Amino acid sequence: MARRKEFDENAVLEHAVQCFWSHGYEATSVRDLARHMGIAGASLYNAYGDKRSLYALALDYYVEHSFKERERRFSQLPPRDAIRGFLNELVERSIEDPDHKGCMLVNAALEVAPYDADFRQVVAGVFAQIEAFLLRSVRAGQLDGSIPTEHVPADMARLLLGAVIGIRVLARTRPDAELLRGLVRPLFAMLEPRDASRQVVLDTLLQS
């Protein structure tokens, strides 16, 4: 019987993530997982438990290497640049993904969380962390003068969170470059000082 310590943990979980991310929870069988992970079915059960337990580990791994890694990178930037970079990266990854996988976390929110209270709590917790990152950035930008103060920071963070989720849902079905880039342009205009915001709107009108 295989023990987990005999595996390259990161490599094995990466394969599990790709399998669940590509096919979803329900459509992914233990046989699919064993094949992608390079582990015999019995060894997989011995090392990770059932499919649900492995999905929980894979989702945690995905969050750590997607949102949390992205948050660490963009938190080093000035607040407005952090928000723009965060959303722009989501847009470009959505456009460039040939498999239209979207986001494993958002996929979990749609497929698994409605029927599983534990996963609903996990997904809601990560969404709250994303909202908190956006809120910190908006507040910091308003304090340093780079983001206008006419909008309530909490409302701006919620609006930006809605855009994050919307981008990743659209990535599954309509990852059109102009659609996704057009979705974030008005948000970026709201983050600009008033005169700059007006110029962004004017430039967009002239290009359309």
Side-chain angles (χ1 to χ4, degrees), residues 16-189:
V17 165
Q18 293 301 322
C19 197
F20 282 125
W21 192 5
S22 297
H23 305 293
Y25 178 75
E26 291 297 336
T28 299
S29 68
V30 173
R31 180 176 297 180
D32 295 330
L33 289 164
R35 184 173 66 252
H36 281 82
M37 296 165 69
I39 302 174
S43 298
L44 188 151
Y45 277 116
N46 185 56
Y48 293 99
D50 58 13
K51 186 176 85 167
R52 184 179 181 280
S53 298
L54 179 55
Y55 183 74
L57 289 171
L59 189 59
D60 285 345
Y61 182 92
Y62 173 84
V63 170
E64 179 63 35
H65 291 80
S66 58
F67 159 64
K68 291 186 179 178
E69 185 276 333
R70 191 174 295 121
E71 179 190 24
R72 286 190 290 269
R73 280 191 289 114
F74 288 113
S75 292
Q76 307 303 313
L77 300 179
R80 193 177 67 208
D81 293 343
I83 297 170
R84 289 177 62 95
F86 190 91
L87 267 69
N88 273 330
E89 185 168 293
L90 292 180
V91 167
E92 297 309 314
R93 289 191 177 187
S94 297
I95 294 168
E96 294 167 3
D97 179 11
D99 299 320
H100 308 326
K101 297 188 300 297
C103 167
M104 186 175 169
L105 180 70
V106 173
N107 296 348
L110 298 174
E111 181 190 10
V112 183
Y115 314 105
D116 189 308
D118 291 337
F119 282 113
R120 184 161 60 248
Q121 184 175 2
V122 169
V123 171
V126 180
F127 284 162
Q129 291 176 45
I130 297 172
E131 182 182 353
F133 160 72
L134 295 168
L135 179 58
R136 288 195 303 272
S137 299
V138 171
R139 283 176 171 164
Q142 289 184 336
L143 285 172
D144 70 16
S146 62
I147 293 176
T149 58
E150 63 247 44
H151 301 293
V152 176
D155 290 344
M156 282 295 298
R158 295 176 188 125
L159 180 62
L160 292 166
L161 175 64
V164 167
I165 296 171
I167 289 166
R168 299 307 263 160
V169 171
L170 287 169
R172 294 295 306 272
T173 56
R174 194 183 167 195
D176 177 76
E178 187 54 33
L179 171 67
L180 296 182
R181 290 170 183 155
L183 189 155
V184 297
R185 271 197 299 268
L187 296 175
F188 293 161

